[in-house]
Amino acid sequence: MLIEHIYLNMDLLPDIQTEDISQSLTHLLRRKYAFKSTALKSDAAQALGISAGLPGLFIERIN
């Protein structure tokens, strides 16, 4: 069994409150907001002071 608490920054996710999140939040974030789960590479993990390969969130910003 797993209980997961997810905290979302509403400033980064405009209009997320109007989305149907009864389905996969991961798919919604990937499709609409260009976020995706990933394993952290060594340079990013080192910058955060954690082990490489731990889960992280990839955010792609296109201007």
Side-chain angles (χ1 to χ4, degrees), residues 2-55:
L2 169 73
I3 296 175
E4 182 177 31
H5 296 273
I6 300 172
Y7 300 91
L8 302 172
N9 184 335
M10 303 300 270
D11 293 335
L12 298 175
L13 304 167
D15 301 320
I16 188 87
Q17 68 276 11
T18 63
E19 297 291 335
D20 174 15
I21 57 171
S22 65
Q23 301 298 312
S24 171
L25 181 59
T26 300
H27 290 134
L28 171 65
L29 292 175
R30 183 180 299 143
R31 178 180 49 80
K32 186 167 181 179
Y33 299 100
F35 288 32
K36 67 179 180 180
S37 299
T38 187
L40 292 174
K41 296 187 179 190
S42 60
D43 57 335
Q46 184 178 14
L48 295 169
I50 58 176
S51 300
L54 288 173

Side-chain angles (χ1 to χ4, degrees), residues 51-63:
S51 300
L54 288 173
L57 188 61
F58 177 84
I59 303 170
E60 181 177 18
R61 176 180 255 172
I62 300 171
N63 292 323

